[in-house]
């Protein structure tokens, strides 16, 4: 029998089951991502052997790239606060302090415990740095009216660190090619750090405002087709990403900024809500495919071979570096103490790390070190999906009952106006 047809049958049944059973599943201590991962393992050669595809790194890079882009734009459309430092207090702390701290802590463990070179360790830290905006839907903002500080911080962090980990990925890749960092450090600072970030920011704003201007001019002379309007969001993603990459900026950053700009400056509430719903549907469909594929790619032989280093990295990242780093990063922040700990626990790793891994594999990461970093990443992502998939629902239910009402923007952050 044709395996392809069987794959379609099983995936159709999975989609039907999680859709019709969503009300029941939402009460279980299981995330949808964990369910998809388990199904992917069942369909792998260790189960019914229905998913036999072994996509190469380039195909995986492109698949994960598109999933992340859709999710970043969706995150941007939820950013409901003014672009002022006091309003983005948690984001600044999580991005400006916690992310670099996590990268260099992982690099130090990789160097002193796993005996990797510093550049290889920084590359591993950068690959594992992004908290996932795709798999963390249970702990993100529900919509732009949600004012909760925990959800805002996690959503905005996931939107930004998928882009801002890139300079550290490039740092590690430069090191792989030339371990004499003095030869390329200045270029890294000017091009990969300063220019690429600035270009991403500017392109995101410019593309969003340009499309907004065109929309406003055209809608005066034509009726609005609601269905086609939703596809404008896809065009914004593709244009902002491609233009940013053409000028050597960070396309991920441009897409997130474009989403923020569209919500802040351009869109009506109805149009923004419609596009957000459309993007979230695409995101959910993409999540199914990627996590099923992840489950089907897992192999026990290499995972057992690298299980010691993987448990060291995953254990310290999820249970030590992220929680303690989040606590230190939020010292002095006017949020509930429980929120500070939850910032630490909900550092979910997922599709962003898979993208950075496949990108690095396509840029020269290879050999024994490449295999080690690959399986460390896959194992860490799998552990994160399992742990956070089991704990996110009960923890967030407790949070909503006991903390959320006292953790809104209006109660926790001073408004200078």
């Amino acid at each position: 029998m044709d395996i392809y047809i069987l794959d379609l049958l099983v995936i159709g049944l999975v989609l039907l089951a999680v859709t019709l059973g969503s009300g029941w599943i939402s009460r279980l201590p299981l995330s949808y991502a964990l369910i998809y991962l388990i199904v992917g393992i069942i369909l792998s050669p260790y189960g019914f052997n229905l998913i036999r595809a072994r996509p190469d790194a380039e195909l995986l890079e492109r698949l994960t790239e598109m999933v992340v882009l859709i999710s970043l734009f969706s995150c941007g459309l939820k950013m409901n606060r003014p672009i002022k430092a006091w309003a983005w207090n948690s984001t600044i702390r999580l991005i400006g302090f916690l992310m670099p701290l996590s990268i260099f802590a992982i690099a130090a463990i990789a160097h002193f415990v796993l005996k990797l070179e510093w550049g290889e360790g920084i590359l591993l830290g950068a690959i594992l740095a992004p908290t996932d905006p795709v798999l963390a839907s249970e702990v993100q903002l529900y919509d732009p009216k949600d004012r909760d500080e925990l959800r805002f911080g996690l959503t905005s962090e996931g939107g930004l660190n998928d882009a801002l980990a890139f300079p550290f990925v490039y740092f590690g890749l430069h090191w792989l090619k030339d371990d004499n960092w003095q030869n390329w450090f200045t270029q890294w600072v000017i091009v990969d750090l300063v220019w690429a970030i600035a270009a991403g920011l500017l392109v995101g704003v410019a593309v969003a405002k340009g499309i907004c201007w065109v929309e406003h001019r055209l809608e005066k002379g034509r009726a609005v087709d609601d269905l086609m309007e939703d596809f404008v969001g896809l065009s914004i993603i593709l244009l902002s990403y491609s233009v940013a990459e053409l000028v050597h900026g960070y396309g991920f950053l441009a897409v997130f900024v474009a989403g923020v700009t569209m919500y802040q400056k351009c869109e009506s509430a109805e149009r923004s809500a419609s596009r957000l719903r459309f993007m979230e549907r695409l995101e959910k469909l993409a999540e199914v495919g990627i996590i099923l594929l992840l489950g089907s790619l897992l192999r026990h032989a290499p995972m057992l071979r690298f299980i010691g280093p993987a448990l060291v990295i995953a254990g310290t990242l999820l249970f030590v570096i992220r929680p303690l780093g989040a606590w230190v990063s939020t010292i002095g922040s006017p949020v509930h103490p429980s929120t500070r700990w939850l910032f630490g626990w909900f550092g979910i790793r997922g599709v962003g790390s898979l993208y950075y891994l496949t990108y690095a594999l396509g840029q020269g990461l290879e050999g024994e070190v490449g295999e080690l970093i690959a399986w460390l990443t896959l194992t860490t992502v799998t552990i994160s999906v399992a742990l956070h998939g089991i704990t996110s629902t009960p923890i967030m239910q407790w949070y909503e009952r006991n903390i959320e009402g006292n953790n809104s923007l209006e109660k926790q952050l001073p408004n200078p106006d």
Side-chain angles (χ1 to χ4, degrees):
M1 187 175 294
D2 193 335
I3 294 296
Y4 170 72
I5 299 301
L6 289 177
D7 287 341
L8 293 183
L9 173 63
V10 173
I11 293 172
L13 290 173
V14 171
L15 288 173
L16 182 64
V18 298
T19 302
L20 297 182
S22 58
W24 179 70
I25 293 172
S26 65
R27 294 192 293 270
L28 295 176
L30 297 173
S31 69
Y32 288 101
L34 179 56
I35 294 172
Y36 304 146
L37 180 66
I38 294 171
V39 173
I41 294 173
I42 292 172
L43 299 180
S44 75
Y46 297 126
F48 293 105
N49 197 26
L50 294 181
I51 299 182
R52 301 177 182 176
R54 297 286 290 176
D56 58 23
E58 183 178 1
L59 176 58
L60 279 173
E61 178 188 342
R62 296 310 175 198
L63 290 174
T64 52
E65 179 182 52
M66 289 308 301
V67 176
V68 172
L69 288 173
I70 293 169
S71 185
L72 291 179
F73 188 68
S74 176
C75 287
L77 290 176
K78 298 175 185 176
M79 296 295 98
N80 54 9
R81 300 187 180 182
I83 310 300
K84 296 181 180 179
W86 62 267
W88 292 62
N89 177 59
S90 295
T91 311
I92 294 170
R93 291 168 177 268
L94 295 173
I95 294 295
F97 187 82
L98 177 57
M99 187 183 75
L101 174 65
S102 299
I103 291 173
F104 288 109
I106 294 172
I109 294 171
H111 179 70
F112 292 111
V113 179
L114 306 185
K115 307 305 179 182
L116 294 179
E117 296 290 334
W118 275 109
E120 297 164 352
I122 290 174
L123 178 59
L124 175 62
I127 289 172
L128 293 175
T131 54
D132 199 85
V134 181
L135 307 183
S137 57
E138 289 88 352
V139 299
Q140 286 190 1
L141 292 173
Y142 290 123
D143 56 59
K145 296 180 182 178
D146 188 346
R147 313 295 286 180
D148 181 67
E149 185 65 18
L150 173 65
R151 289 196 177 92
F152 179 86
L154 292 171
T155 306
S156 56
E157 180 195 17
L160 282 170
N161 65 13
D162 264 340
L164 297 181
F166 238 127
F168 300 98
V169 171
Y170 281 128
F171 186 96
L173 292 174
H174 286 315
W175 192 294
L176 290 180
K177 297 174 182 177
D178 182 1
D179 60 5
N180 186 2
W181 60 270
Q182 292 93 339
N183 293 336
W184 47 261
F185 184 76
T186 301
Q187 177 187 353
W188 175 79
V189 171
I190 295 173
V191 177
D192 298 327
L193 192 62
V194 177
W195 168 258
I197 291 176
L201 290 169
L202 292 173
V203 168
V205 172
V207 169
K209 286 191 171 182
I211 292 177
C212 177
W213 180 83
V214 171
E215 277 192 313
H216 288 166
R217 293 295 297 269
L218 292 177
E219 67 184 10
K220 296 178 181 179
R222 63 175 175 86
V224 177
D225 185 329
D226 292 336
L227 178 61
M228 298 308 295
E229 284 285 349
D230 289 339
F231 288 103
V232 174
L234 284 177
S235 72
I236 296 171
I237 292 173
L238 298 176
L239 288 171
S240 55
Y241 181 72
S242 58
V243 172
E245 292 293 322
L246 286 172
V247 299
H248 303 290
Y250 291 130
F252 282 3
L253 181 59
V255 169
F256 176 75
V257 171
V260 175
T261 304
M262 291 300 292
Y263 177 80
Q264 297 276 340
K265 305 293 184 182
C266 301
E267 299 199 313
S268 66
E270 295 78 12
R271 176 178 288 168
S272 179
S274 175
R275 286 184 182 162
L276 179 56
R277 287 193 299 270
F278 178 68
M279 290 299 158
E280 287 179 330
R281 289 175 184 135
L282 290 179
E283 186 180 354
K284 290 298 182 184
L285 285 173
E287 177 188 352
V288 175
I290 290 296
I291 302 304
L292 282 175
L293 188 58
L294 170 63
S296 71
L297 290 175
L298 299 178
R299 297 291 184 270
H300 67 77
M303 292 183 76
L304 289 175
R305 177 185 172 193
F306 297 111
I307 191 63
L311 290 178
V312 169
I313 294 296
T316 53
L317 173 61
L318 300 178
F319 293 104
V320 180
I321 296 171
R322 173 74 187 193
L324 293 182
W327 181 263
V328 172
S329 300
T330 54
I331 290 176
S333 178
V335 296
H336 195 282
S338 296
T339 301
R340 297 173 62 191
W341 286 116
L342 291 179
F343 275 136
W345 177 243
F346 286 123
I348 302 172
R349 268 57 187 182
V351 181
S353 292
L354 297 179
Y355 168 75
Y356 278 127
L357 170 64
T358 54
Y359 180 85
L361 291 172
Q363 296 294 319
L365 178 63
E366 57 187 8
E368 182 71 18
V369 171
E371 189 177 5
L372 172 63
I373 290 178
W375 286 105
L376 291 181
T377 302
L378 291 174
T379 304
T380 300
V381 170
T382 302
I383 292 173
S384 180
V385 170
L387 283 177
H388 294 110
I390 293 170
T391 61
S392 60
T393 298
I395 289 177
M396 289 307 294
Q397 287 175 347
W398 173 86
Y399 175 79
E400 290 164 2
R401 289 194 306 267
N402 298 281
I403 308 297
E404 185 171 8
N406 299 314
N407 201 38
S408 65
L409 172 67
E410 290 83 358
K411 293 186 178 182
Q412 296 295 337
L413 295 176
N415 191 329
D417 297 333

